[in-house]
Short mmCIF file of all heavy atoms in Angstrom, two decimals:
data_model
loop_
_atom_site.label_atom_id
_atom_site.label_comp_id
_atom_site.label_asym_id
_atom_site.label_seq_id
_atom_site.Cartn_x
_atom_site.Cartn_y
_atom_site.Cartn_z
N GLU A 1123 0.84 -1.20 0.00
CA GLU A 1123 0.00 0.00 0.00
C GLU A 1123 0.88 1.25 0.00
O GLU A 1123 1.74 1.40 0.87
CB GLU A 1123 -0.92 0.02 1.21
CG GLU A 1123 -1.82 1.25 1.25
CD GLU A 1123 -2.78 1.25 2.45
OE1 GLU A 1123 -2.84 0.24 3.17
OE2 GLU A 1123 -3.46 2.28 2.66
N PRO A 1124 0.66 2.18 -0.93
CA PRO A 1124 1.46 3.40 -0.96
C PRO A 1124 1.23 4.25 0.30
O PRO A 1124 0.09 4.37 0.78
CB PRO A 1124 0.94 4.14 -2.20
CG PRO A 1124 0.32 3.09 -3.05
CD PRO A 1124 -0.27 2.10 -2.09
N LEU A 1125 2.30 4.80 0.82
CA LEU A 1125 2.20 5.75 1.92
C LEU A 1125 1.68 7.07 1.35
O LEU A 1125 2.38 7.74 0.58
CB LEU A 1125 3.56 5.95 2.58
CG LEU A 1125 3.63 7.03 3.66
CD1 LEU A 1125 2.75 6.69 4.84
CD2 LEU A 1125 5.07 7.24 4.11
N ASP A 1126 0.45 7.43 1.69
CA ASP A 1126 -0.16 8.66 1.19
C ASP A 1126 -1.05 9.21 2.30
O ASP A 1126 -2.12 8.66 2.59
CB ASP A 1126 -0.99 8.36 -0.07
CG ASP A 1126 -1.52 9.62 -0.74
OD1 ASP A 1126 -1.69 10.64 -0.05
OD2 ASP A 1126 -1.77 9.58 -1.96
N LEU A 1127 -0.61 10.29 2.93
CA LEU A 1127 -1.34 10.85 4.06
C LEU A 1127 -2.65 11.51 3.63
O LEU A 1127 -3.51 11.76 4.48
CB LEU A 1127 -0.47 11.87 4.80
CG LEU A 1127 0.88 11.36 5.32
CD1 LEU A 1127 1.54 12.41 6.20
CD2 LEU A 1127 0.72 10.05 6.06
N GLY A 1128 -2.81 11.77 2.33
CA GLY A 1128 -4.06 12.31 1.85
C GLY A 1128 -5.14 11.24 1.72
O GLY A 1128 -6.33 11.53 1.80
N VAL A 1129 -4.72 10.00 1.52
CA VAL A 1129 -5.65 8.88 1.40
C VAL A 1129 -5.91 8.24 2.76
O VAL A 1129 -7.05 7.94 3.12
CB VAL A 1129 -5.10 7.83 0.42
CG1 VAL A 1129 -5.98 6.59 0.40
CG2 VAL A 1129 -4.99 8.43 -0.98
N ARG A 1130 -4.86 8.04 3.52
CA ARG A 1130 -4.98 7.44 4.85
C ARG A 1130 -4.23 8.32 5.86
O ARG A 1130 -3.01 8.30 5.92
CB ARG A 1130 -4.39 6.01 4.85
CG ARG A 1130 -4.77 5.21 6.08
CD ARG A 1130 -4.22 3.78 5.99
NE ARG A 1130 -4.77 3.06 4.85
CZ ARG A 1130 -5.96 2.49 4.84
NH1 ARG A 1130 -6.74 2.56 5.91
NH2 ARG A 1130 -6.38 1.83 3.77
N PRO A 1131 -4.95 9.12 6.62
CA PRO A 1131 -4.31 10.06 7.55
C PRO A 1131 -3.43 9.34 8.58
O PRO A 1131 -3.70 8.18 8.93
CB PRO A 1131 -5.50 10.76 8.24
CG PRO A 1131 -6.63 10.60 7.28
CD PRO A 1131 -6.42 9.26 6.63
N PRO A 1132 -2.42 10.00 9.07
CA PRO A 1132 -1.52 9.37 10.04
C PRO A 1132 -2.17 9.25 11.42
O PRO A 1132 -3.04 10.03 11.79
CB PRO A 1132 -0.33 10.33 10.09
CG PRO A 1132 -0.93 11.66 9.76
CD PRO A 1132 -2.01 11.38 8.75
N ALA A 1133 -1.70 8.25 12.18
CA ALA A 1133 -2.15 8.10 13.57
C ALA A 1133 -1.40 9.06 14.49
O ALA A 1133 -1.86 9.35 15.59
CB ALA A 1133 -1.94 6.66 14.02
N GLY A 1134 -0.27 9.56 14.03
CA GLY A 1134 0.50 10.54 14.77
C GLY A 1134 1.30 11.37 13.79
O GLY A 1134 1.71 10.87 12.73
N TYR A 1135 1.54 12.64 14.12
CA TYR A 1135 2.19 13.54 13.16
C TYR A 1135 2.89 14.67 13.92
O TYR A 1135 2.32 15.26 14.84
CB TYR A 1135 1.15 14.12 12.21
CG TYR A 1135 1.68 15.12 11.21
CD1 TYR A 1135 2.10 14.72 9.95
CD2 TYR A 1135 1.75 16.47 11.54
CE1 TYR A 1135 2.58 15.64 9.03
CE2 TYR A 1135 2.23 17.40 10.62
CZ TYR A 1135 2.64 16.98 9.38
OH TYR A 1135 3.12 17.91 8.48
N ARG A 1136 4.11 14.98 13.52
CA ARG A 1136 4.83 16.13 14.07
C ARG A 1136 5.90 16.55 13.07
O ARG A 1136 6.65 15.72 12.54
CB ARG A 1136 5.47 15.79 15.42
CG ARG A 1136 6.20 16.97 16.07
CD ARG A 1136 6.70 16.58 17.45
NE ARG A 1136 7.52 17.58 18.08
CZ ARG A 1136 7.06 18.65 18.74
NH1 ARG A 1136 5.75 18.82 18.86
NH2 ARG A 1136 7.88 19.52 19.29
N ARG A 1137 5.98 17.85 12.83
CA ARG A 1137 7.01 18.40 11.95
C ARG A 1137 7.66 19.59 12.63
O ARG A 1137 6.98 20.47 13.17
CB ARG A 1137 6.39 18.81 10.61
CG ARG A 1137 7.39 19.40 9.63
CD ARG A 1137 6.91 19.40 8.19
NE ARG A 1137 5.64 20.05 7.96
CZ ARG A 1137 5.21 20.42 6.76
NH1 ARG A 1137 5.96 20.19 5.68
NH2 ARG A 1137 4.02 20.99 6.61
N VAL A 1138 8.99 19.62 12.60
CA VAL A 1138 9.75 20.66 13.28
C VAL A 1138 10.83 21.20 12.36
O VAL A 1138 11.61 20.42 11.79
CB VAL A 1138 10.40 20.14 14.58
CG1 VAL A 1138 11.21 21.25 15.26
CG2 VAL A 1138 9.35 19.59 15.54
N LEU A 1139 10.88 22.51 12.20
CA LEU A 1139 11.98 23.17 11.50
C LEU A 1139 12.87 23.81 12.55
O LEU A 1139 12.47 24.75 13.25
CB LEU A 1139 11.46 24.23 10.54
CG LEU A 1139 12.52 25.05 9.80
CD1 LEU A 1139 13.44 24.16 8.97
CD2 LEU A 1139 11.87 26.11 8.91
N ASP A 1140 14.07 23.27 12.70
CA ASP A 1140 15.06 23.79 13.64
C ASP A 1140 15.85 24.89 12.92
O ASP A 1140 16.74 24.61 12.12
CB ASP A 1140 15.98 22.66 14.09
CG ASP A 1140 17.00 23.10 15.14
OD1 ASP A 1140 17.25 24.32 15.27
OD2 ASP A 1140 17.56 22.22 15.81
N LEU A 1141 15.50 26.13 13.22
CA LEU A 1141 16.13 27.26 12.52
C LEU A 1141 17.58 27.47 12.95
O LEU A 1141 18.37 28.03 12.19
CB LEU A 1141 15.32 28.54 12.79
CG LEU A 1141 13.88 28.51 12.25
CD1 LEU A 1141 13.09 29.70 12.77
CD2 LEU A 1141 13.87 28.50 10.73
N ARG A 1142 17.93 27.04 14.13
CA ARG A 1142 19.31 27.20 14.58
C ARG A 1142 20.26 26.31 13.79
O ARG A 1142 21.37 26.71 13.43
CB ARG A 1142 19.42 26.88 16.08
CG ARG A 1142 20.83 27.13 16.65
CD ARG A 1142 20.91 26.68 18.10
NE ARG A 1142 20.04 27.46 18.96
CZ ARG A 1142 20.39 28.63 19.51
NH1 ARG A 1142 21.58 29.15 19.25
NH2 ARG A 1142 19.56 29.26 20.30
N HIS A 1143 19.82 25.07 13.50
CA HIS A 1143 20.68 24.11 12.83
C HIS A 1143 20.28 23.86 11.37
O HIS A 1143 20.94 23.07 10.68
CB HIS A 1143 20.68 22.78 13.59
CG HIS A 1143 21.18 22.90 15.00
ND1 HIS A 1143 20.34 22.94 16.10
CD2 HIS A 1143 22.45 23.02 15.49
CE1 HIS A 1143 21.05 23.07 17.19
NE2 HIS A 1143 22.33 23.11 16.86
N GLY A 1144 19.20 24.50 10.92
CA GLY A 1144 18.79 24.34 9.53
C GLY A 1144 18.28 22.95 9.20
O GLY A 1144 18.44 22.48 8.08
N LEU A 1145 17.65 22.29 10.17
CA LEU A 1145 17.21 20.90 10.00
C LEU A 1145 15.69 20.82 10.02
O LEU A 1145 15.04 21.32 10.95
CB LEU A 1145 17.79 20.02 11.11
CG LEU A 1145 17.39 18.54 11.10
CD1 LEU A 1145 17.98 17.85 9.88
CD2 LEU A 1145 17.85 17.86 12.38
N LEU A 1146 15.11 20.20 9.01
CA LEU A 1146 13.67 19.95 8.96
C LEU A 1146 13.44 18.47 9.28
O LEU A 1146 14.00 17.59 8.63
CB LEU A 1146 13.11 20.27 7.58
CG LEU A 1146 11.63 19.97 7.36
CD1 LEU A 1146 10.76 20.80 8.29
CD2 LEU A 1146 11.24 20.22 5.90
N GLU A 1147 12.61 18.21 10.30
CA GLU A 1147 12.34 16.83 10.72
C GLU A 1147 10.84 16.61 10.80
O GLU A 1147 10.11 17.42 11.37
CB GLU A 1147 12.99 16.53 12.06
CG GLU A 1147 12.75 15.11 12.55
CD GLU A 1147 13.56 14.77 13.80
OE1 GLU A 1147 14.71 15.24 13.91
OE2 GLU A 1147 13.04 14.03 14.65
N ARG A 1148 10.38 15.50 10.24
CA ARG A 1148 8.96 15.13 10.28
C ARG A 1148 8.84 13.69 10.73
O ARG A 1148 9.53 12.80 10.23
CB ARG A 1148 8.32 15.31 8.89
CG ARG A 1148 6.85 14.95 8.82
CD ARG A 1148 6.26 15.40 7.48
NE ARG A 1148 6.97 14.82 6.35
CZ ARG A 1148 6.50 13.80 5.62
NH1 ARG A 1148 5.33 13.28 5.90
NH2 ARG A 1148 7.21 13.34 4.60
N THR A 1149 7.97 13.46 11.71
CA THR A 1149 7.74 12.11 12.24
C THR A 1149 6.26 11.78 12.12
O THR A 1149 5.41 12.59 12.50
CB THR A 1149 8.17 12.02 13.71
OG1 THR A 1149 9.55 12.39 13.84
CG2 THR A 1149 8.00 10.59 14.23
N ILE A 1150 5.95 10.60 11.59
CA ILE A 1150 4.56 10.17 11.47
C ILE A 1150 4.42 8.73 11.94
O ILE A 1150 5.35 7.93 11.85
CB ILE A 1150 4.03 10.30 10.03
CG1 ILE A 1150 4.81 9.40 9.08
CG2 ILE A 1150 4.08 11.75 9.56
CD1 ILE A 1150 4.24 9.37 7.67
N LEU A 1151 3.23 8.42 12.47
CA LEU A 1151 2.83 7.05 12.75
C LEU A 1151 1.76 6.69 11.74
O LEU A 1151 0.79 7.43 11.58
CB LEU A 1151 2.29 6.92 14.17
CG LEU A 1151 3.24 7.20 15.32
CD1 LEU A 1151 2.52 7.08 16.66
CD2 LEU A 1151 4.44 6.25 15.29
N TRP A 1152 1.93 5.56 11.08
CA TRP A 1152 1.02 5.21 9.97
C TRP A 1152 0.70 3.74 10.00
O TRP A 1152 1.57 2.89 10.22
CB TRP A 1152 1.68 5.57 8.65
CG TRP A 1152 0.79 5.53 7.46
CD1 TRP A 1152 -0.09 6.49 7.04
CD2 TRP A 1152 0.68 4.46 6.51
NE1 TRP A 1152 -0.73 6.10 5.89
CE2 TRP A 1152 -0.29 4.86 5.54
CE3 TRP A 1152 1.30 3.23 6.39
CZ2 TRP A 1152 -0.63 4.06 4.46
CZ3 TRP A 1152 0.95 2.40 5.32
CH2 TRP A 1152 0.00 2.83 4.37
N LYS A 1153 -0.58 3.43 9.77
CA LYS A 1153 -1.02 2.04 9.70
C LYS A 1153 -1.82 1.83 8.44
O LYS A 1153 -2.81 2.53 8.20
CB LYS A 1153 -1.87 1.67 10.92
CG LYS A 1153 -2.28 0.20 10.95
CD LYS A 1153 -3.18 -0.10 12.13
CE LYS A 1153 -3.45 -1.60 12.23
NZ LYS A 1153 -3.96 -2.18 10.95
N GLY A 1154 -1.39 0.89 7.62
CA GLY A 1154 -2.11 0.58 6.40
C GLY A 1154 -3.29 -0.33 6.65
O GLY A 1154 -3.50 -0.83 7.77
N ALA A 1155 -4.06 -0.60 5.59
CA ALA A 1155 -5.24 -1.45 5.73
C ALA A 1155 -4.87 -2.87 6.14
O ALA A 1155 -5.62 -3.52 6.87
CB ALA A 1155 -6.01 -1.45 4.42
N GLU A 1156 -3.71 -3.34 5.67
CA GLU A 1156 -3.32 -4.72 5.93
C GLU A 1156 -1.96 -4.80 6.63
O GLU A 1156 -1.31 -5.84 6.59
CB GLU A 1156 -3.26 -5.52 4.61
CG GLU A 1156 -4.55 -5.50 3.81
CD GLU A 1156 -5.67 -6.25 4.52
OE1 GLU A 1156 -5.36 -7.13 5.35
OE2 GLU A 1156 -6.85 -5.94 4.25
N SER A 1157 -1.54 -3.72 7.27
CA SER A 1157 -0.21 -3.72 7.89
C SER A 1157 -0.28 -3.28 9.33
O SER A 1157 -1.30 -2.73 9.80
CB SER A 1157 0.73 -2.78 7.11
OG SER A 1157 0.39 -1.43 7.35
N GLY A 1158 0.81 -3.48 10.04
CA GLY A 1158 0.94 -2.97 11.38
C GLY A 1158 1.32 -1.49 11.37
O GLY A 1158 1.37 -0.85 10.31
N VAL A 1159 1.61 -0.96 12.54
CA VAL A 1159 1.97 0.45 12.68
C VAL A 1159 3.45 0.64 12.39
O VAL A 1159 4.30 -0.12 12.88
CB VAL A 1159 1.65 0.96 14.10
CG1 VAL A 1159 2.04 2.43 14.24
CG2 VAL A 1159 0.16 0.79 14.41
N VAL A 1160 3.74 1.64 11.58
CA VAL A 1160 5.12 1.97 11.23
C VAL A 1160 5.39 3.42 11.59
O VAL A 1160 4.55 4.29 11.35
CB VAL A 1160 5.39 1.76 9.73
CG1 VAL A 1160 6.85 2.05 9.40
CG2 VAL A 1160 5.02 0.35 9.30
N ARG A 1161 6.54 3.66 12.19
CA ARG A 1161 6.96 5.04 12.47
C ARG A 1161 7.99 5.45 11.43
O ARG A 1161 9.01 4.79 11.24
CB ARG A 1161 7.56 5.16 13.87
CG ARG A 1161 8.08 6.59 14.17
CD ARG A 1161 8.40 6.77 15.63
NE ARG A 1161 9.38 5.78 16.09
CZ ARG A 1161 9.47 5.37 17.36
NH1 ARG A 1161 8.64 5.85 18.27
NH2 ARG A 1161 10.39 4.49 17.70
N PHE A 1162 7.69 6.55 10.75
CA PHE A 1162 8.61 7.12 9.77
C PHE A 1162 9.19 8.41 10.31
O PHE A 1162 8.48 9.22 10.91
CB PHE A 1162 7.89 7.41 8.45
CG PHE A 1162 7.47 6.19 7.68
CD1 PHE A 1162 6.18 5.68 7.82
CD2 PHE A 1162 8.36 5.56 6.82
CE1 PHE A 1162 5.78 4.56 7.11
CE2 PHE A 1162 7.96 4.44 6.12
CZ PHE A 1162 6.67 3.93 6.26
N ARG A 1163 10.47 8.60 10.07
CA ARG A 1163 11.12 9.86 10.43
C ARG A 1163 11.91 10.36 9.22
O ARG A 1163 12.74 9.64 8.67
CB ARG A 1163 12.05 9.70 11.63
CG ARG A 1163 12.74 11.00 12.04
CD ARG A 1163 13.60 10.84 13.30
NE ARG A 1163 12.77 10.66 14.48
CZ ARG A 1163 12.71 9.54 15.19
NH1 ARG A 1163 13.43 8.48 14.81
NH2 ARG A 1163 11.95 9.46 16.26
N PHE A 1164 11.60 11.59 8.79
CA PHE A 1164 12.28 12.21 7.66
C PHE A 1164 13.09 13.39 8.15
O PHE A 1164 12.58 14.24 8.89
CB PHE A 1164 11.25 12.71 6.64
CG PHE A 1164 10.30 11.66 6.13
CD1 PHE A 1164 9.13 11.35 6.84
CD2 PHE A 1164 10.55 10.98 4.95
CE1 PHE A 1164 8.24 10.39 6.37
CE2 PHE A 1164 9.67 10.01 4.48
CZ PHE A 1164 8.51 9.72 5.19
N ARG A 1165 14.34 13.48 7.74
CA ARG A 1165 15.19 14.62 8.08
C ARG A 1165 15.78 15.18 6.79
O ARG A 1165 16.23 14.43 5.93
CB ARG A 1165 16.32 14.22 9.03
CG ARG A 1165 15.87 13.72 10.39
CD ARG A 1165 17.07 13.54 11.30
NE ARG A 1165 16.72 12.99 12.59
CZ ARG A 1165 16.79 11.70 12.91
NH1 ARG A 1165 17.21 10.83 12.00
NH2 ARG A 1165 16.46 11.27 14.10
#
């Protein structure tokens, strides 16, 4: 199943732009129709 937050909203979501270090971080909890819960972290 494609990860698409517009089709299946996340169970958890947080996005932070650290202006001091220039780092953008996004964390989501996502569960598909036939899958368990997965935590994704993007930096």
Side-chain angles (χ1 to χ4, degrees):
E1123 180 178 353
L1125 174 63
D1126 187 334
L1127 303 188
V1129 174
R1130 193 177 298 279
Y1135 177 92
R1136 182 176 174 82
R1137 180 162 55 164
V1138 179
L1139 177 59
D1140 183 341
L1141 297 170
R1142 184 185 295 275
H1143 300 102
L1145 178 67
L1146 176 62
E1147 180 172 324
R1148 180 170 57 103
T1149 303
I1150 62 174
L1151 296 178
W1152 191 81
K1153 184 183 186 307
E1156 304 293 335
S1157 72
V1159 179
V1160 182
R1161 177 168 57 206
F1162 290 95
R1163 180 176 290 113
F1164 304 85
R1165 297 188 183 96

